[in-house]
Amino acid sequence: MQINDALNLVREKFTAESNGQTDGEPATKYQDAFGEYPVTMEVATHIFAVQLIQHNMAQQMQAQQQAAQTDGDGAAS
């Protein structure tokens, strides 16, 4: 299994769980892959988590920058 394939499985399972779906095809594929390729899936899970954290941090920084610009524009008027 290639790491990109494993990342896709982790992403699919995360998306499904985020939508309240804990059973079904994404969960089955994930469990099967984890059984066959435990190290690859562990690495993919870690990479996905880091990417998710970075994405969330970038969104928070962008929101803070927009808020600061809005506050700055309002104070100048």
Side-chain angles (χ1 to χ4, degrees), residues 13-62:
K13 185 158 186 328
F14 179 82
T15 302
E17 284 184 7
S18 295
N19 293 323
Q21 181 185 359
T22 57
D23 295 330
E25 187 177 353
T28 301
K29 287 169 133 181
Y30 178 87
Q31 291 300 329
D32 290 348
F34 218 103
E36 285 187 56
Y37 308 99
V39 175
T40 302
M41 292 301 292
E42 285 283 353
V43 171
T45 300
H46 179 76
I47 291 169
F48 179 77
V50 169
Q51 290 175 340
L52 184 62
I53 290 167
Q54 289 175 339
H55 175 76
N56 288 341
M57 287 175 60
Q59 280 187 323
Q60 288 177 346
M61 288 178 58
Q62 184 178 20

